[in-house]
Amino acid sequence: MSQSQTWTDTGIAELILLLREEVATGMESIVALNMATPCTAAVASTYADPADTATHHTDSGLAIQAIDTVAGDTVNTAGDTILFDHVFTATATKNVAGIHVCNNDDDVAFIECCFNAVLPMESTDTCTIDGQSTIEQA
Amino acid sequence: MADSVNTKGFMRTKVTGEHRLGFCEKCGTKTEKEFYMDGNRKRVHMTCPSCGGQGKLIAKTYSVQPPTPPQCLRMSCLWGFFKDTLFCALLSNYHARRVAYAEANRNKTILERYRTGEPSPKNIWQCIHANVKLACPICRKYNGGTK
């Protein structure tokens, strides 16, 4: 299974709400996905229903938490990219199949990523996430 | 252009996940979260408070980007798209198997390229070679050839 990552439909809807200055919040949180086998990221995934049979970790250092750093960047046109970095530190043996990058209200997943393979993390293991998303013109 | 087809803009997302042990590879001290500046960008990583080292890398995952859709209907464009698609599939397969192999051998000595993913295959032939080599228990112990 190859690594897959995508903006979700609900993530795009949240982004549009932000553009319309409606009630919405920006990219602030991140959570690790729990699944024993590799998952496949899907646009139809939601915060409440991640890819395949994946669920959110709820403890052991992998539960939803504030993203360590979020920044803007330029790839093609000025300011067209958002960057996010985060380090998870596991406090127990857990499988990490991927991540959800979420809004500040912790109710919308902007980006879903399913890793190349499941990362079987043991206590004190760390997983450093380096993410980048660019809006490209036609 | 009369023979062009429309493509659309999209959101291109890349994510890497770097799985490391929580203790420094050099001195065994527990690593701690450290913020640092990479140019103008504030970043974060885990470093050893004693020597500045990092935990042993177990595996690093990579995003493989899908090929750009063909921009015209000429055979050269379609053939190029076909080759890019095949390369993408083979490269995805290699990185998926590489990460699974590295994770399964977290406490063993294996070739560093299977942990870091670098150098990554650059063309279809190198992908085929790398996949065959990864599947062979004897071949994958030796660091010879292009992949």
Side-chain angles (χ1 to χ4, degrees), chain A residues 3 85 125 130 132 134, chain B residues 12 14-15 41 43 106:
Chain A
Q3 178 163 313
D85 284 354
D125 280 4
D130 179 354
Q132 168 183 323
T134 303
Chain B
R12 183 186 295 271
K14 290 192 280 190
V15 179
R41 179 183 177 188
R43 303 192 68 174
R106 60 178 277 151

Side-chain angles (χ1 to χ4, degrees), chain A residues 38-81:
Chain A
C39 55
T40 303
V43 295
S45 295
T46 64
Y47 180 83
D49 184 17
D52 301 330
T53 57
T55 56
H56 288 169
H57 279 287
T58 55
D59 55 16
S60 306
L62 304 169
I64 194 155
Q65 51 203 270
I67 302 175
D68 285 333
T69 71
V70 179
D73 197 14
T74 295
V75 172
N76 298 313
T77 57
D80 63 351
T81 296

Side-chain angles (χ1 to χ4, degrees), chain B residues 48-62:
Chain B
C48 172
S50 303
C51 68
Q54 290 191 301
K56 181 190 170 194
L57 179 68
I58 298 170
K60 188 172 181 179
T61 72
Y62 280 102

Side-chain angles (χ1 to χ4, degrees), chain A residues 7 74-77 79-82 132-138, chain B residues 7-14 65-69 71:
Chain A
W7 274 73
T74 295
V75 172
N76 298 313
T77 57
D80 63 351
T81 296
I82 187 164
Q132 168 183 323
S133 190
T134 303
I135 298 181
E136 298 192 344
Q137 298 278 24
Chain B
T7 59
K8 58 182 180 180
F10 62 104
M11 292 165 156
R12 183 186 295 271
T13 303
K14 290 192 280 190
Q65 296 299 315
T68 308
Q71 300 294 310

Side-chain angles (χ1 to χ4, degrees), chain B residues 68-116:
Chain B
T68 308
Q71 300 294 310
C72 69
L73 292 175
R74 285 191 297 269
M75 276 306 293
S76 59
C77 293
L78 298 177
W79 176 244
F81 179 64
F82 169 76
K83 285 198 298 184
D84 289 347
T85 304
L86 180 60
F87 173 61
C88 177
L90 289 167
L91 189 63
S92 296
N93 184 42
Y94 167 70
H95 281 298
R97 293 172 57 213
R98 172 188 66 76
V99 173
Y101 171 67
E103 290 287 349
N105 292 279
R106 60 178 277 151
N107 295 319
K108 296 179 183 170
T109 302
I110 61 171
L111 286 181
E112 199 62 21
R113 66 172 50 172
Y114 294 134
R115 297 204 187 279
T116 63

Side-chain angles (χ1 to χ4, degrees), chain A residues 5-25:
Chain A
Q5 55 281 311
T6 185
W7 274 73
T8 65
D9 290 341
T10 53
I12 291 172
E14 183 82 351
L15 186 62
I16 296 300
L17 286 175
L18 279 171
L19 295 176
R20 293 171 54 206
E21 298 184 343
E22 298 286 343
V23 177
T25 53

